[in-house]
Amino acid sequence: MARGSVPFRTYSTNDFIKRFSHLAQTSQFRAVIQAAKLPFLSKYNPQGGRFTEDLSILCNATNLPGSRFSTTENAQDYYGVNQKFAYRRDFDNLTLNFYVDNQYDIINFFEEWMDYIGSPNDTNRYGVIGNPKLESAFYRFRYPEQGYGYKCTIDLHKFDKDYETVNAGSKQEVSDVPRTGGRNGMVYTFINAFPLSINSMPVSYNNTETLKCSVNFVYDRYFVNRNRGVVQHQDAT
């Protein structure tokens, strides 16, 4: 059996296999936008459909969030010693990338969400564009909790392929089948999120590719659900 030479410790092949055969992968995740309170969502749910499910399935890439502390410096307590203390936690923006459907609902939805936040000639109760062609049109922005509000919760579930895997070939109901996997994963919950920007989407006559829409979100904070619960849609549409 091969052994590795590591200072202060000798490892066998099995030791390395144990540590490196179960590393987390980047390709299993699920993003859920809890957008039920947005008043225009029903337009994208004809005949009782679930557009939020489409958003979750078509989200093809994202980033696990990062955060850092803002600090203040104290140079008065100890001569020649500078001390730093944390006073605020700052968060990176959340970016979600989506495949665009052939109805362009993905783009229209996020464009309408941004129009709902701030739009020219805002005259109706939903804040949808009235007549943006007017030369006198100007942008009006709603308060976050005005009317239906424009902020929502986003859940980002990171898991792996063996998450609650069931025994293959069983004829039993899924709920009755013993699980062979575990619930190892992480659930990030972003509070009061809304789209900050939609990235430009290049199109050309070159090789045809799937159109993708990238949306950047800001939020108040996030927390990690350490109970590893399953993310469920909370909307009622």
Side-chain angles (χ1 to χ4, degrees):
M1 182 175 294
R3 294 183 178 275
S5 178
V6 179
F8 312 112
R9 179 73 184 272
T10 300
Y11 290 95
S12 67
T13 301
N14 287 336
D15 290 329
F16 284 100
I17 292 176
K18 179 181 178 180
R19 289 165 173 79
F20 289 95
S21 62
H22 300 287
L23 299 180
Q25 307 297 307
T26 61
S27 56
Q28 286 82 36
F29 68 94
R30 183 186 182 205
V32 179
I33 300 177
Q34 311 284 5
K37 70 177 184 179
L38 297 178
F40 51 84
L41 180 65
S42 59
K43 295 169 52 178
Y44 301 91
N45 286 282
Q47 301 178 355
R50 296 183 67 89
F51 180 68
T52 47
E53 286 284 356
D54 295 340
L55 287 172
S56 179
I57 294 171
L58 293 175
C59 180
N60 72 299
T62 184
N63 51 282
L64 299 183
S67 65
R68 60 200 170 276
F69 287 117
S70 292
T71 61
T72 183
E73 188 170 285
N74 177 20
Q76 306 300 322
D77 289 350
Y78 301 98
Y79 183 77
V81 177
N82 293 340
Q83 295 178 300
K84 290 187 176 181
F85 303 97
Y87 69 91
R88 183 177 62 209
R89 189 172 178 180
D90 299 315
F91 302 94
D92 294 338
N93 291 348
L94 173 67
T95 300
L96 300 179
N97 300 321
F98 299 88
Y99 291 122
V100 178
D101 59 289
N102 61 1
Q103 301 296 319
Y104 297 95
D105 282 343
I106 294 293
I107 298 177
N108 284 324
F109 173 76
F110 289 111
E111 288 284 0
E112 189 159 1
W113 193 348
M114 296 190 73
D115 287 340
Y116 180 64
I117 297 172
S119 61
N121 198 23
D122 183 358
T123 57
N124 62 29
R125 67 190 183 100
Y126 292 137
V128 181
I129 292 176
N131 187 358
K133 296 181 180 180
L134 294 176
E135 292 185 4
S136 59
F138 59 93
Y139 278 87
R140 299 180 63 183
F141 290 83
R142 65 174 57 246
Y143 290 103
E145 299 303 323
Q146 178 183 353
Y148 294 86
Y150 62 74
K151 295 183 177 182
C152 72
T153 298
I154 298 178
D155 292 314
L156 178 57
H157 187 190
K158 179 65 188 77
F159 53 92
D160 286 293
K161 289 186 292 185
D162 60 350
Y163 185 85
E164 282 200 324
T165 304
V166 299
N167 290 331
S170 175
K171 302 297 184 181
Q172 297 173 277
E173 294 292 333
V174 172
S175 59
D176 299 329
V177 178
R179 306 290 182 175
T180 59
R183 281 195 172 185
N184 295 327
M186 302 184 68
V187 180
Y188 295 87
T189 298
F190 302 86
I191 304 299
N192 291 332
F194 65 93
L196 174 68
S197 63
I198 301 174
N199 293 347
S200 59
M201 293 163 276
V203 293
S204 71
Y205 285 125
N206 295 329
N207 295 335
T208 300
E209 298 179 356
T210 301
L211 184 62
K212 299 176 184 178
C213 177
S214 181
V215 184
N216 301 303
F217 292 85
V218 291
Y219 49 93
D220 290 352
R221 65 187 184 281
Y222 74 77
F223 65 88
V224 178
N225 181 357
R226 293 181 174 83
N227 294 325
R228 298 172 178 173
V230 179
V231 177
Q232 300 291 341
H233 285 280
Q234 298 176 357
D235 54 61
T237 55

